[in-house]
């Protein structure tokens, strides 16, 4: 069981910025990549950004140039800095490992609650 606590979401106008935070327990990202996912009702969970343990970051095409993923291992915190936000960025953002836990594992034990980002047009 892991503990993941996302925060920092909110309602912002298009063009605005947000910093999402992910507090985590233990050393789950010491050997596993950390990732931010977006979940929108009726759509599959989408990988937005990924950061390997050695610091290599990759992004979904929709996030390139606008989002930055980072991690402060000393504080057990991960971040997603989002700028130039668009209405299509709206959704619940969750952090976890990449690859993510299998879908057969109970979400209540392996996922946090996420943080809602809503971008108004």
């Amino acid at each position: 069981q892991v503990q993941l606590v996302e925060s920092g979401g909110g309602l912002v106008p298009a063009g605005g910025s947000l910093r999402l935070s992910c507090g985590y327990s233990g050393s789950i990202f010491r050997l596993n990549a950390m990732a931010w996912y977006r979940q929108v009702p009726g759509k599959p969970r989408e990988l937005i950004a990924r950061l390997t343990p050695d610091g290599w970051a990759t992004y979904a095409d929709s996030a390139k140039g606008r989002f930055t993923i980072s991690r402060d291992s000393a504080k057990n915190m991960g971040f997603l800095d989002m700028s130039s936000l668009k209405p299509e960025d709206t959704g619940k953002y969750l952090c976890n490992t990449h690859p993510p836990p299998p879908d057969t594992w109970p979400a209540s034990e392996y996922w946090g609650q996420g943080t809602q980002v809503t971008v108004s047009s």
Side-chain angles (χ1 to χ4, degrees), residues 45-69:
R45 186 175 59 228
E46 180 184 8
L47 174 65
I48 299 301
R50 176 179 178 268
L51 182 68
T52 65
D54 59 0
W56 184 258
T58 55
Y59 300 90
D61 287 344
S62 62
K64 286 179 183 176
R66 300 188 299 125
F67 294 2
T68 301
I69 187 172

Side-chain angles (χ1 to χ4, degrees), residues 8 13 26 34 59 71 78 86-87 89 113:
M34 182 186 79
Y59 300 90
R71 183 177 69 238
K86 305 174 182 180
D89 295 321
Q113 294 298 310

Side-chain angles (χ1 to χ4, degrees), residues 28-98:
I28 60 170
F29 299 131
R30 187 169 66 87
L31 297 177
N32 298 294
M34 182 186 79
W36 283 94
Y37 301 86
R38 179 170 62 223
Q39 196 166 325
V40 177
K43 294 186 177 181
R45 186 175 59 228
E46 180 184 8
L47 174 65
I48 299 301
R50 176 179 178 268
L51 182 68
T52 65
D54 59 0
W56 184 258
T58 55
Y59 300 90
D61 287 344
S62 62
K64 286 179 183 176
R66 300 188 299 125
F67 294 2
T68 301
I69 187 172
S70 61
R71 183 177 69 238
D72 184 341
S73 300
K75 297 182 179 179
N76 276 23
M77 294 291 296
F79 305 99
L80 184 68
D81 289 292
M82 311 166 70
S83 63
S84 302
L85 283 162
K86 305 174 182 180
E88 51 264 43
D89 295 321
T90 294
K92 181 183 289 187
Y93 285 72
L94 305 103
C95 66
N96 215 312
T97 58
H98 188 270

